């Protein structure tokens, strides 16, 4: 009998690791299978929509908008925990870019009035994956993610949103959803402008001088931190009451645009390698003169006339007019001083957010949240952004779970949060 027990014990010792290994493999396979076939428990969701373009009065809350479905192998469906607002959302509410965005959504809808409605706004999202297509390899249900929603897709001011896996990234582990939602749009916009248009990168930044106009907003506060993490010298223009914020984020020099002529205040300063224009207006008339001549310096503006022209002149005429305007400025700047003139655009990009996530978890990039609103107060959040003079981002807490966690943390509801709390200044 003892020999039988010994033999059984030996066989168990041999078989048990294989059973455990197979069990782990089964769990992984089951999770992958779940990713491809999560059942639909409901067909509609709550969201804030607009049925026409205009001011805040066009917003309508509904519990009866269809949940976006996973229609291709590369798509993921996200339950939205938090979103944040950008000036672009204000502009889109008023119809900015409607002609071109309608063409991008569906070329056959250009001749149809109101084909894009009901429209959900919101470009930033932080949430949890609940479903994904059969070809998705980087995400499974339960993953916490963040992303930027392209402007031609339904936005994040809803309970669910569907994106391709290439537009999504794993959320920084160090941030809650309410803070994570403040970063994706400004990060992808700033990186597109500074890297793709401005030619900056981690390796060449230590020798570069950069001027950021309008440095206290979302794109400005992110750009300061990114450039300082890469070793650049950063000068910022902002109002006096935002100086403490931008200096706390790392700005080397700060110019108060309310105290007098900015160009005069900077005329004795060393010339810049890159100017990032977040303001527009008459900025070009003096900022171009602050760049190093004949040295490959670049002027990058995020305030372009492309969508305004297509809205007012039509797609073809607007695109032609914009192209001619850009070409004229490029030639003029190159001939007069050897400066490159470029437009910057935001580009949703999951892999880029992967790099940003690593910087956030390393403490190099901090969220700057000025105000936080519950999902029930989206119009009030828009009103806050519309007032201008931002000191960071305005966040909307979409899911009840996220609202509960904020309330337990004694955060204020619908009141501006101290930027120092989120930015840890």
């Amino acid at each position: 009998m003892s020999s039988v027990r010994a033999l059984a014990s030996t066989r168990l010792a041999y078989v048990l690791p294989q059973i455990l290994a197979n069990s782990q493999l089964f769990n992984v396979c089951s999770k992958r299978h779940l990713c491809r076939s999560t059942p639909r428990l409901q067909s509609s969701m709550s969201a804030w929509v607009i049925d026409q373009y205009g001011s805040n009065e066009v917003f309508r809350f509904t519990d009866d908008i269809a949940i976006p479905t996973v229609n291709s192998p590369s798509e993921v469906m996200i339950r939205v925990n938090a979103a944040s607002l950008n000036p672009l959302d204000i502009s889109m509410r008023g119809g900015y870019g409607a002609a071109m965005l309608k063409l991008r959504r569906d070329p056959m809808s250009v001749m149809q009035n109101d084909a894009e409605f009901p429209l959900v706004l919101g470009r930033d999202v932080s949430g949890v994956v609940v479903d994904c297509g059969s070809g998705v390899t980087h995400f499974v249900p339960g993953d916490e993610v963040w992303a930027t929603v392209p402007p031609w897709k339904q936005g994040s001011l809803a309970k669910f949103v569907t994106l391709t896996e290439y537009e999504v990234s794993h959320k920084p582990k160090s941030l809650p959803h309410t803070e994570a939602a403040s970063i994706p749009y400004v990060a992808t916009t700033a990186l597109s402008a500074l890297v793709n248009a401005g030619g900056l990168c981690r390796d060449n930044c230590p020798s570069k001088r950069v001027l950021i106009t309008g440095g206290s907003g979302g794109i400005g506060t992110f750009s300061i931190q990114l450039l300082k993490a890469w070793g650049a010298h950063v000068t910022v223009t902002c109002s006096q009451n935002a100086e403490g914020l931008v200096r706390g984020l790392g700005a080397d020099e700060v110019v108060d645009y309310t105290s007098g002529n900015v160009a005069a205040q900077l005329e004795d300063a060393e010339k810049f390698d890159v100017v990032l224009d977040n303001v527009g207006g008459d900025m070009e008339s003096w900022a171009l003169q602050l760049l190093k001549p004949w040295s490959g310096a670049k002027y990058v503006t995020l305030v372009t006339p492309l969508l305004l022209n297509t809205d007012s002149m039509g797609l073809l005429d607007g695109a032609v007019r914009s192209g001619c305007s850009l070409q004229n400025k490029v030639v003029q700047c190159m001939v007069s001083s050897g400066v490159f003139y470029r437009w910057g655009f935001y580009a949703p990009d999951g892999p880029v957010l992967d790099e940003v996530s690593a910087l956030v978890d390393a403490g190099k990039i901090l969220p700057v949240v000025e105000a936080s609103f519950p999902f029930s107060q989206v119009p009030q959040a828009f009103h806050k952004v519309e007032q201008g003079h931002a000191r960071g981002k305005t966040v909307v807490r979409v899911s009840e779970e996220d609202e509960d966690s904020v309330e337990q943390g004694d955060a204020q509801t619908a009141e501006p949060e101290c930027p120092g709390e989120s930015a840890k200044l």
Side-chain angles (χ1 to χ4, degrees):
M1 180 65 70
S2 60
S3 61
V4 172
R5 290 177 177 173
L7 178 60
S9 177
T10 301
R11 289 180 60 84
L12 181 61
Y14 172 76
V15 172
L16 185 58
Q18 298 184 47
I19 294 175
L20 292 175
N22 289 336
S23 175
Q24 294 172 356
L25 179 61
F26 174 78
N27 288 336
V28 171
C29 292
S30 296
K31 196 174 186 183
R32 290 290 182 188
H33 179 71
L34 178 61
C35 181
R36 299 175 183 176
S37 59
T38 300
R40 294 284 187 271
L41 299 180
Q42 58 191 90
S43 59
S44 61
M45 65 177 179
S46 56
W48 283 92
V49 301
I50 62 173
D51 300 305
Q52 61 181 337
Y53 296 118
S55 58
N56 258 358
E57 288 71 23
V58 301
F59 276 113
R60 172 173 63 89
F61 181 80
T62 177
D63 287 316
D64 195 30
I65 188 169
I67 291 181
T69 57
V70 173
N71 292 319
S72 78
S74 64
E75 286 185 332
V76 297
M77 180 178 174
I78 301 168
R79 186 189 73 235
V80 181
N81 282 56
S84 72
L85 303 184
N86 300 279
L88 176 63
D89 296 302
I90 305 296
S91 299
M92 288 183 64
R93 184 198 63 191
Y96 174 72
M100 185 167 289
L101 294 177
K102 184 187 291 187
L103 176 66
R104 178 61 179 82
R105 292 184 190 104
D106 182 5
M108 301 304 295
S109 69
V110 175
M111 304 303 296
Q112 303 174 22
N113 293 329
D114 302 333
E116 66 268 44
F117 299 117
L119 182 64
V120 181
L121 301 176
R123 309 271 62 88
D124 286 305
V125 58
S126 183
V128 179
V129 173
V130 295
D131 192 15
C132 43
S134 60
V136 172
T137 58
H138 296 92
F139 305 98
V140 294
D143 285 350
E144 294 190 326
V145 296
W146 63 348
T148 303
V149 182
W152 54 86
K153 292 186 177 181
Q154 292 286 47
S156 56
L157 294 176
K159 290 296 184 177
F160 298 93
V161 66
T162 297
L163 300 168
T164 69
E165 70 169 323
Y166 312 109
E167 296 163 340
V168 180
S169 167
H170 288 96
K171 180 183 73 68
K173 295 180 175 61
S174 58
L175 296 183
H177 290 289
T178 48
E179 293 185 350
S182 69
I183 295 177
Y185 173 84
V186 298
T188 52
T189 304
L191 280 161
S192 175
L194 294 172
V195 177
N196 298 339
L200 298 175
C201 65
R202 188 189 313 273
D203 295 333
N204 66 17
C205 266
S207 63
K208 302 296 184 182
R209 289 175 51 83
V210 182
L211 171 65
I212 302 173
T213 63
S216 64
I219 294 174
T221 54
F222 178 88
S223 298
I224 293 168
Q225 296 182 82
L226 177 71
L227 292 170
K228 293 309 300 179
W230 286 354
H233 182 282
V234 180
T235 300
V236 173
T237 70
C238 64
S239 62
Q240 182 179 15
N241 59 13
E243 180 174 352
L245 170 64
V246 297
R247 285 196 182 278
L249 294 173
D252 297 287
E253 298 178 30
V254 181
V255 178
D256 176 14
Y257 69 83
T258 65
S259 66
N261 188 297
V262 176
Q265 296 181 63
L266 289 170
E267 62 181 359
D268 295 329
E270 183 180 344
K271 300 291 186 180
F272 297 95
D273 297 283
V274 175
V275 171
L276 177 61
D277 175 16
N278 294 300
V279 178
D282 64 348
M283 192 70 61
E284 295 177 11
S285 63
W286 57 264
L288 282 165
Q289 311 305 316
L290 301 175
L291 288 164
K292 295 177 181 178
W294 306 105
S295 62
K298 300 174 180 67
Y299 183 91
V300 182
T301 179
L302 292 169
V303 186
T304 74
L306 176 59
L307 295 183
L308 287 175
N309 286 344
T310 56
D311 287 338
S312 61
M313 303 177 189
L315 290 171
L316 182 58
D317 290 344
V320 171
R321 174 68 66 86
S322 300
C324 291
S325 174
L326 176 60
Q327 184 179 24
N328 289 338
K329 290 184 178 181
V330 167
V331 172
Q332 181 181 357
C333 291
M334 180 56 65
V335 171
S336 63
S337 57
V339 168
F340 292 94
Y341 180 93
R342 294 176 176 175
W343 288 351
F345 299 93
Y346 102 92
D349 193 326
V352 163
L353 287 177
D354 288 341
E355 299 180 18
V356 176
S357 183
L359 287 171
V360 171
D361 282 335
K364 301 293 186 181
I365 301 291
L366 304 172
V368 184
V369 177
E370 182 181 23
S372 175
F373 290 79
F375 192 45
S376 60
Q377 296 183 8
V378 164
Q380 291 91 325
F382 267 77
H383 178 69
K384 169 70 182 66
V385 177
E386 202 166 12
Q387 291 176 326
H389 304 290
R391 303 293 179 263
K393 295 294 293 293
T394 294
V395 173
V396 174
R397 307 187 303 274
V398 176
S399 74
E400 295 179 1
E401 293 85 352
D402 221 54
E403 289 188 25
D404 291 342
S405 66
V406 172
E407 290 171 0
Q408 291 171 6
D410 294 328
Q412 297 181 1
T413 298
E415 292 292 336
E417 299 173 353
C418 174
E421 293 181 5
S422 293
K424 301 179 175 64
L425 301 181

